């Protein structure tokens, strides 16, 4: 789906630990670029290559997966019946290489995280911030909405196939 020109996809990249380096590339991936994704660094590779820790890392994000894969749409609507339809948006998939990520940001909707495999540390803020505070803490000069001076309250170290809900 990430190679389909009708899909909304993007690659977000940054150098870990340097929020001002976040960048975004919009649009479908070429077949060659997608093949590169299939060979991205694994956890075992990262542990054996200390230089890789400070290299630019990428995360692929694709929206509206449920529109391209109807069984996923059925699963979403059958599983999350406790949420009114007007609060449902889309199914989204992100693939991050080791130390990749999309940066500290605000989601203005319910997020259901389902980790398929691998391990990931999710850093979650619990305090609600309004739109003005969010705007005041965005890093200037980059095309990604990344918050500066962000403090997380919950560290979720996820190594199992698991799901959980993050409310707006």
């Amino acid at each position: 789906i990430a190679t389909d020109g009708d899909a909304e996809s993007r690659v977000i990249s940054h150098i870990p630990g340097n929020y001002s380096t976040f960048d975004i590339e919009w649009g479908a991936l070429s077949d060659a670029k997608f093949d590169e994704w299939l060979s991205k660094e694994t956890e075992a590779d990262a542990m054996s290559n200390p230089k890789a820790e400070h290299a630019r890392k990428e995360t692929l994000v694709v929206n509206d997966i449920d529109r391209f894969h109807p069984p996923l749409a059925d699963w979403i609507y059958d599983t999350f019946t406790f949420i009114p339809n007007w609060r449902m948006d889309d199914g989204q998939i992100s693939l991050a290489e080791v130390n990749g990520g999309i940066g500290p940001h605000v989601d203005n909707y319910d997020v259901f995280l389902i980790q398929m495999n691998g391990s990931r540390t999710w850093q979650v803020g619990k305090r609600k911030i309004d739109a003005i505070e969010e705007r005041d803490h965005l890093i200037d000069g980059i095309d990604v909405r990344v918050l500066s001076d962000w403090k997380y309250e919950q560290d979720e170290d996820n190594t199992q196939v698991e799901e959980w809900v993050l409310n707006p």
Side-chain angles (χ1 to χ4, degrees):
I1 297 173
T3 62
D4 189 318
D6 291 332
E8 183 182 325
S9 61
R10 59 205 174 275
V11 174
I12 300 171
S13 65
H14 75 289
I15 296 171
N18 187 345
Y19 288 166
S20 66
T21 64
F22 273 90
D23 195 14
I24 190 166
E25 180 182 334
W26 289 94
L29 297 179
S30 67
D31 289 337
K33 181 74 172 171
F34 187 73
D35 287 344
E36 284 179 36
W37 268 98
L38 298 179
S39 63
K40 288 282 184 186
E41 187 172 68
T42 66
E43 282 184 68
D45 295 335
M47 290 182 176
S48 65
N49 184 1
K51 285 185 176 180
E53 183 179 327
H54 301 291
R56 183 165 284 278
K57 301 299 180 178
E58 294 183 328
T59 300
L60 169 64
V61 181
V62 184
N63 287 66
D64 296 327
I65 296 295
D66 52 317
R67 297 173 201 271
F68 289 86
H69 188 65
L72 177 61
D74 294 341
W75 179 80
I76 289 171
Y77 284 95
D78 291 345
T79 302
F80 301 105
T81 56
F82 57 93
I83 295 195
N85 286 342
W86 64 267
R87 284 184 47 185
M88 292 194 187
D89 189 14
D90 71 323
Q92 184 182 93
I93 291 178
S94 68
L95 302 171
E97 65 182 302
V98 173
N99 294 320
I102 59 174
H105 63 282
V106 173
D107 287 321
N108 297 315
Y109 44 83
D110 295 304
V111 175
F112 297 85
L113 298 172
I114 302 170
Q115 180 144 339
M116 300 306 290
N117 62 16
S119 65
R120 182 98 181 147
T121 299
W122 300 92
Q123 296 173 329
V124 180
K126 293 286 189 175
R127 188 176 64 84
K128 288 188 179 190
I129 65 173
D130 61 33
I132 294 170
E133 185 178 0
E134 177 187 3
R135 185 189 65 218
D136 289 346
H137 285 89
L138 291 175
I139 296 174
D140 290 329
I142 60 175
D143 290 331
V144 183
R145 294 179 59 173
V146 177
L147 299 171
S148 64
D149 302 321
W150 178 75
K151 305 287 185 251
Y152 64 91
E153 290 86 29
Q154 183 177 349
D155 208 3
E156 294 288 346
D157 203 6
N158 187 4
T159 56
Q160 302 295 318
V161 176
E162 190 174 320
E163 64 183 80
W164 65 94
V165 178
L166 303 176
N167 293 313

